[in-house]
C-alpha cells in the first residue's frame, strides 16, 4: 500500500512540475531564440507561424503550414481543425450515451447494450 501511495505521489509531483515556470539563465542570444520554435526548441520556427494567431507557439512538426502550392491557407486549416474537434467531441458523447443508456429509443434493430455490438447489429440489418 505504501508503494502505491509513493508511486501516485511521485506521478502527481512530476505532472505538477510540468506547469512550473522554466528557469531562464539569460545567456541565450535573442537571434538564436527568435529562429527556434517555442514549443519545440530543437526545431526552427515555421515562417508562417509568427504568433499572430491565438495559441500559436510554432508547433508544426509535420510542416502543414508550408503547403502553399496546394492552395490551402493557414486560416482554412485552423477552421478545419476546429470543425473536426467539435465532431470528435460529439462522437464521444454519442458513444457514452449508448454505453450508459443503451441504443436510442425506437431503434428496434440494436438490442445490445454494448456500443460495438449495437453497431454491428444495425450493420447486419442494413448492409452496404
Amino acid at each position: 500500500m505504501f508503494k502505491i501511495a509513493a508511486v501516485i505521489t511521485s506521478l502527481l509531483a512530476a505532472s505538477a512540475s510540468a506547469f512550473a515556470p522554466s528557469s531562464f539563465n539569460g545567456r541565450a542570444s535573442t537571434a538564436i531564440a527568435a529562429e527556434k520554435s517555442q514549443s519545440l526548441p530543437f526545431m526552427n520556427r515555421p515562417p508562417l507561424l509568427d504568433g499572430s494567431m491565438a495559441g500559436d507557439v510554432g508547433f508544426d512538426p509535420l510542416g502543414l503550414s508550408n503547403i502553399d502550392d496546394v492552395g490551402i491557407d493557414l486560416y482554412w486549416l485552423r477552421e478545419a481543425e476546429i470543425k473536426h474537434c467539435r465532431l470528435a467531441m460529439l462522437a464521444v458523447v454519442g458513444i457514452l450515451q449508448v454505453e450508459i443508456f443503451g441504443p436510442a429509443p425506437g431503434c428496434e434493430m440494436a438490442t445490445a447494450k454494448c456500443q460495438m455490438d449495437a453497431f454491428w447489429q444495425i450493420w447486419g440489418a442494413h448492409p452496404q
Side-chain angles (χ1 to χ4, degrees):
M1 184 66 175
F2 179 72
K3 289 183 182 180
I4 294 173
V7 169
I8 291 173
T9 305
S10 65
L11 288 174
L12 289 175
S15 65
S17 66
F19 298 104
S22 62
S23 62
F24 179 70
N25 58 10
R27 294 183 193 165
S29 68
T30 57
I32 294 174
E35 296 174 1
K36 296 294 181 182
S37 172
Q38 291 177 359
S39 62
L40 300 170
F42 54 87
M43 292 183 69
N44 290 334
R45 180 185 59 82
L48 293 177
L49 299 179
D50 55 358
S52 61
M53 293 181 155
D56 179 14
V57 290
F59 184 78
D60 189 18
L62 299 178
L64 295 175
S65 64
N66 297 326
I67 55 172
D68 289 333
D69 55 339
V70 180
I72 300 172
D73 65 340
L74 199 58
Y75 295 101
W76 186 88
L77 288 172
R78 181 181 62 175
E79 294 297 322
E81 183 178 4
I82 290 171
K83 181 189 84 163
H84 289 106
C85 290
R86 290 175 179 163
L87 286 173
M89 287 186 276
L90 284 172
V92 169
V93 170
I95 289 171
L96 291 176
Q97 185 269 335
V98 172
E99 289 292 331
I100 295 170
F101 303 110
C107 185
E108 294 83 17
M109 291 179 210
T111 58
K113 291 290 282 183
C114 177
Q115 171 73 30
M116 291 308 296
D117 293 340
F119 172 78
W120 288 115
Q121 283 177 346
I122 294 174
W123 183 271
H126 295 290
Q128 296 289 328

